[in-house]
Amino acid sequence: MGVLADIRATFAIAWTDVRLLLRDRAAAFFTFVFPIIFAMFFGFMFGGGGGERGKIEIAVVQLDQGPAATAFIEDLKKTGEISVKMVPTAEEAEAMVRKGEVIASIVLPSTFQKDFDNLLSTGKGPKLEGFVDPSRKAEAGLLEGRLNELAFRTMGKSFSDPAKMKQNLAKVKESIAKASDIDNSRKILLGAALQNMDSILDDNQKQAAAGKSDALSDPMANFRPVQVDLKELTRKRVGPTNSFEVSLPQGIVWGLMGCVTAFVSTLAHDRQRGTLVRLLSAPVSRWQVVGGKALAGFISCMLVQWVLIGLFAAVFNVKLTNPPMLLIATLASAFAFVGVMMFLSVIGRSGEGSAGFGRSVILVMAMIGGGTIPIFFMPKFMQTVSSASPFKWAVLAIEGALWRGFTPAEMMYPLLVLCGIGVVGFVLGVMMFRRAMKT
Amino acid sequence: MLRLEHLRKTYGSLVAVDDVSLEVRKGEVFGLLGPNGAGKSTTIGMCVGLVSPDSGSVEIGGVGAPTTDAVRRHLGVAPQALAIYDDLTGAENLSLFGRLYGLGGRDLSDRVHRALDLVGLMPRASDRAGKYSGGMKRRLNLAAALVHDPPLLLLDEPTAGVDPQSRNNILDTVRDLARAGRTIIYTTHYMEEAQRLCDRVGIIDKGRLLCVGVVDDLVRAHGGKSVVRVERAGKHERVETDDPLREIATVLAHVGPDGPATGVHIERPDLESVFLSLTGRSLRD
Ligand SMILES: Nc1ncnc2c1ncn2[C@@H]1O[C@H](COP(=O)(O)OP(=O)(O)OP(=O)(O)O)[C@@H](O)[C@H]1O
Ligand SMILES: [Mg+2]
């Protein structure tokens, strides 16, 4: 008979198992309904759509210990809407942005003081470099404005010491006079400008004495005392913006668990009831039987994942920023769990025994793999332990595509782990299946 | 149609089937009769290629051993353990098995209907098999074996645990199939069934095929004499004879000291007696 008949037979086996899952009320409940309830519950518990917006958290690296930099940071800390975390190196600060712990990082360069002092002569203030989470652009804009405002204030302090300022101006005049690359006409112009400045400072000095100190801000309205250069991280999105984006992968964990459990039971049942033997006595190869079962598991795993994703996208505004990547992630996790399924189905000698064992193993895996608590909430050592659970990798891949904004290269790691789990489980499962079926 | 040669299967030290040779002809109903653990199911398992024999060979209809899909397509199996899915309807169960045997499309649905009709399950076709009675499940199990209309059917205790109504249906179905030219191997430990249904019978015990033949021949050869029981004035006499009718005539003509016979009863030898004489045990224990 032809390939067509073979495919038809394999699909008939797969379709049978999918129907058995959907028709078994308990299995269907634990595969589809329970995960939805669970993920909804946690979604609401974590704060619902949007999540609360607290302070803008930024990581600051101070490479210059001079008074200007220190004053700048002090001012930064005093503002109500910015929360500052001091970090020793620029790399660490950047990493914090990547992990979504802060929305931006800012480095005060080692030349901060010098640049600040030479602000007037060079026309360029200190350059603040850093990274910003592209998903938080609104806050980043706000931050940039804030930084300039603060720099003004810091500068204002030095301006409010006109003596120091005049000293600076003298330095500037001197350097202009000496400069060989500035032609004379310019020198005269600049000289006049500086003279004006001098008189402003004199006025200011008088006004300050009279108690009005903010006259400065007017003539310098368009002046940018610091150059803020915030690069967007290469990723599209970092960090969940909606608590349902956190609970959705959790729901998927439970859905996959329900799926695996149901299949382990179905196969156990098949072995016990003699239906498996009956299938094997039909003119189909063992590969077709195993393949049909695997296909059924695969279809069900995909189904449960996308039912959850679809529902959460439609109802809870979970944004699918990268659908192709998400598809790949779900394919890989379905593949991995088919392997787990195959392995757990045949691990025991008796059908029921393996089902019971399989259920407990999978429950523990789900719990440590992020089913109960999102992995990034776990303490460090638990995060390490959870690496042993296939669920963790499925969650990581799905989060990577959902809100971690993984690049394809970053995606490779969890995907490869998932594929590895799938292959190993499948090979072991098939080997043991063949042995169990030997007569 | 089916030829078994020196089949042997052991499980550890247990010999399940011991040197069984047998030929089943095309179009006949062959009964394999034996007590629990005799090796009937193991033999069937080897016939369908599920159990690999330690030695010996199975050949189906001149096409070869049942290890290839092409040969297996000629077979229909109704296993002793019910092999149907409770969560599928009767029709869905049959569709599944039809597809496994390469059927599809209109052909498949026609054959599913025919098979359901044959076992009298048409009215319950779209109910889940789990809701069927035990007898109906048995009938569905049988229908699953014949949905692809194979020339050779292997039915392993198709009436196990079944009520009289379903049993009659199953026996009728088997007879219809035989009339339609199918070859059937039928295992049972009910000698009445074997006697009623089978053209030839093989008696198997402890893995050994003790005898094979037409029921009457077996009974004549191994069943021993008929027994005539005579009741006379509350007392019972037992007379063994080759010719029970003549014996009865003699008994009725004779009036002894206790007066005339008040009751006469003939016990003809049957497969049970054949089994008893061959093994020294009763089929029923
Ligand atoms: N897979 C197996 N492993 C070990 N022993 C087995 C296996 N299958 C059958 N046997 C043994 O082989 C012998 C024959 O079993 P079989 O099932 O063929 O008997 P049977 O004639 O079908 O009996 P029944 O009427 O009870 O169905 C029995 O003693 C049984 O315990
Ligand atoms: Mg048996």
Side-chain angles (χ1 to χ4, degrees):
Chain A
M1 280 276 191
V3 180
L4 191 72
D6 282 354
I7 292 173
R8 190 156 52 201
T10 309
F11 271 89
I13 294 170
W15 177 224
T16 297
D17 278 12
V18 172
R19 273 182 301 185
L20 293 181
L21 169 71
L22 294 175
R23 288 183 186 178
D24 178 340
R25 288 229 185 96
F29 175 82
F30 280 108
T31 307
F32 292 99
V33 183
F34 175 73
I36 291 172
I37 295 172
F38 187 91
M40 272 169 55
F41 174 75
F42 273 90
F44 283 119
M45 216 172 78
F46 290 149
E52 93 282 22
R53 278 285 134 70
K55 291 183 171 185
I56 302 172
E57 298 198 316
I58 64 169
V60 174
V61 184
Q62 185 181 3
L63 298 178
D64 175 13
Q65 305 303 322
T70 308
F72 182 78
I73 291 167
E74 282 315 308
D75 284 347
L76 207 52
K77 284 181 180 165
K78 270 183 229 144
T79 64
E81 67 264 41
I82 297 175
S83 147
V84 174
K85 282 188 182 148
M86 297 304 295
V87 177
T89 68
E91 288 73 30
E92 274 172 71
E94 188 189 333
M96 285 173 81
V97 181
R98 281 188 189 283
K99 284 186 225 149
E101 290 170 15
V102 295
I103 71 145
S105 67
I106 286 162
V107 178
L108 275 57
S110 52
T111 56
F112 191 92
Q113 188 72 46
K114 207 174 85 208
D115 293 343
F116 199 76
D117 289 344
N118 295 338
L119 176 61
L120 289 179
S121 52
T122 59
K124 280 186 202 155
K127 194 171 180 185
L128 303 183
E129 283 182 324
F131 290 94
V132 64
D133 178 343
S135 70
R136 313 284 288 266
K137 266 192 191 138
E139 284 113 315
L142 184 67
L143 177 69
E144 196 169 332
R146 259 352 217 144
L147 291 175
N148 269 301
E149 201 181 311
L150 284 167
F152 262 128
R153 219 188 289 169
T154 310
M155 209 168 71
K157 275 184 194 144
S158 20
F159 277 88
S160 64
D161 182 0
K164 194 173 172 195
M165 211 43 205
K166 288 192 79 128
Q167 193 184 321
N168 273 344
L169 274 177
K171 213 160 61 181
V172 173
K173 279 187 206 161
E174 198 181 321
S175 64
I176 289 174
K178 275 194 253 160
S180 53
D181 56 344
I182 304 177
D183 58 45
N184 279 332
S185 56
R186 285 260 172 96
K187 278 183 187 173
I188 294 161
L189 257 167
L190 278 169
L194 288 171
Q195 203 50 57
N196 276 343
M197 193 79 117
D198 237 0
S199 57
I200 290 171
L201 283 171
D202 284 340
D203 280 358
N204 198 42
Q205 214 163 3
K206 284 170 211 150
Q207 279 176 353
K212 297 182 208 159
S213 67
D214 59 344
L216 242 181
S217 46
D218 266 343
M220 299 205 161
N222 290 318
F223 187 70
R224 300 230 166 256
V226 286
Q227 298 180 310
V228 181
D229 179 11
L230 293 178
K231 289 190 188 69
E232 284 190 10
L233 283 176
T234 41
R235 312 181 172 192
K236 282 281 166 285
R237 295 180 64 192
V238 182
T241 55
N242 173 329
S243 64
F244 290 104
E245 292 182 351
V246 177
S247 68
L248 170 60
Q250 275 184 294
I252 289 179
V253 165
W254 290 109
L256 288 172
M257 188 192 103
C259 216
V260 171
T261 311
F263 269 90
V264 171
S265 306
T266 311
L267 244 166
H269 221 77
D270 245 5
R271 278 169 72 185
Q272 251 184 341
R273 288 289 304 275
T275 35
L276 186 60
V277 171
R278 178 68 181 83
L279 296 183
L280 290 172
S281 69
V284 290
S285 68
R286 281 172 192 211
W287 284 110
Q288 278 174 280
V289 175
V290 173
K293 303 242 163 230
L295 184 63
F298 189 80
I299 291 170
S300 307
C301 284
M302 285 306 280
L303 197 63
V304 67
Q305 292 185 94
W306 282 94
V307 163
L308 276 156
I309 291 170
L311 184 78
F312 273 59
V315 180
F316 298 116
N317 202 25
V318 168
K319 289 195 184 56
L320 310 185
T321 42
N322 193 346
M325 192 87 101
L326 191 58
L327 180 65
I328 292 171
T330 52
L331 285 170
S333 68
F335 181 72
F337 281 95
V338 169
V340 172
M341 221 176 259
M342 298 306 293
F343 178 71
L344 290 178
S345 303
V346 289
I347 200 160
R349 257 199 108 52
S350 80
E352 259 321 302
S354 78
F357 179 72
R359 264 194 293 274
S360 358
V361 168
I362 206 74
L363 184 63
V364 172
M365 291 281 191
M367 274 160 44
I368 65 170
T372 38
I373 310 173
I375 289 170
F376 58 88
F377 284 176
M378 290 181 178
K380 268 269 146 21
F381 86 95
M382 266 313 286
Q383 292 196 8
T384 316
V385 171
S386 71
S387 299
S389 166
F391 288 107
K392 172 191 172 151
W393 301 102
V395 167
L396 194 63
I398 289 163
E399 286 182 349
L402 213 53
W403 54 260
R404 280 184 192 274
F406 277 2
T407 62
E410 285 166 318
M411 207 63 186
M412 281 317 278
Y413 188 46
L415 290 183
L416 283 177
V417 172
L418 286 172
C419 290
I421 291 168
V423 169
V424 169
F426 201 82
V427 168
L428 286 178
V430 169
M431 268 164 54
M432 293 195 320
F433 177 78
R434 291 182 74 96
R435 213 178 47 198
M437 284 295 107
K438 207 161 242 160
T439 42
Chain B
M1 192 67 201
L2 172 75
R3 187 201 301 271
L4 309 182
E5 273 174 358
H6 304 293
L7 271 187
R8 184 181 163 86
K9 179 71 189 177
T10 55
Y11 292 107
S13 61
L14 185 128
V15 185
V17 172
D18 192 4
D19 194 29
V20 167
S21 297
L22 178 67
E23 193 171 344
V24 178
R25 296 171 206 136
K26 191 167 183 329
E28 83 175 335
V29 181
F30 186 90
L32 201 53
L33 182 67
N36 288 142
K40 304 182 293 293
S41 296
T42 307
T43 305
I44 296 286
M46 289 190 280
C47 291
V48 300
L50 263 183
V51 177
S52 46
D54 296 350
S55 59
S57 67
V58 177
E59 171 145 333
I60 311 283
V63 280
T67 44
T68 66
D69 291 354
V71 177
R72 283 183 180 193
R73 246 175 258 281
H74 289 81
L75 307 176
V77 204
Q80 181 177 0
L82 286 174
I84 51 176
Y85 291 96
D86 282 352
D87 283 332
L88 299 186
T89 67
E92 285 169 342
N93 267 289
L94 296 190
S95 298
L96 165 67
F97 288 110
R99 286 201 179 90
L100 294 184
Y101 285 83
L103 301 179
R106 257 224 84 78
D107 191 26
L108 175 66
S109 53
D110 285 352
R111 300 227 202 173
V112 166
H113 282 144
R114 218 176 307 155
L116 283 168
D117 206 29
L118 201 60
V119 297
L121 282 177
M122 210 49 197
R124 302 294 300 271
S126 44
D127 288 352
R128 295 209 186 160
K131 298 224 170 93
Y132 286 6
S133 71
M136 290 160 86
K137 285 183 185 176
R138 271 284 157 210
R139 275 142 68 188
L140 184 61
N141 197 47
L142 173 62
L146 46 88
V147 65
H148 61 293
D149 200 16
L152 177 60
L153 281 156
L154 298 121
L155 313 179
D156 196 357
E157 305 207 17
T159 58
V162 146
D163 56 290
Q165 184 196 345
S166 282
R167 170 188 297 240
N168 285 333
N169 174 289
I170 289 168
L171 294 180
D172 289 348
T173 306
V174 173
R175 205 164 304 142
D176 289 347
L177 289 166
R179 221 169 279 139
R182 307 287 168 269
T183 309
I184 295 158
I185 298 179
Y186 187 107
T187 81
T188 180
H189 50 234
Y190 297 121
M191 59 108 193
E192 309 90 335
E193 278 181 15
Q195 227 154 350
R196 235 176 97 180
L197 200 63
C198 300
D199 301 313
R200 286 195 310 143
V201 171
I203 293 181
I204 186 171
D205 184 45
K206 294 180 178 162
R208 299 195 68 96
L209 193 61
L210 302 176
C211 60
V212 178
V214 177
V215 175
D216 288 347
D217 292 349
L218 290 181
V219 172
R220 214 170 295 129
H222 305 283
K225 297 180 190 304
S226 294
V227 171
V228 175
R229 290 185 191 278
V230 184
E231 198 179 334
R232 218 188 281 271
K235 280 187 250 164
H236 294 270
E237 288 169 34
R238 185 175 181 279
V239 184
E240 283 190 11
T241 172
D242 285 326
D243 192 348
L245 291 180
R246 170 115 59 88
E247 183 62 33
I248 287 173
T250 317
V251 164
L252 291 178
H254 175 74
V255 180
D258 295 332
T262 49
V264 187
H265 180 72
I266 309 175
E267 281 175 14
R268 287 186 181 279
D270 54 16
L271 288 172
E272 175 73 43
S273 353
V274 174
F275 188 81
L276 189 69
S277 85
L278 289 174
T279 64
R281 289 179 293 117
S282 166
L283 197 54
R284 288 287 151 87
D285 45 48

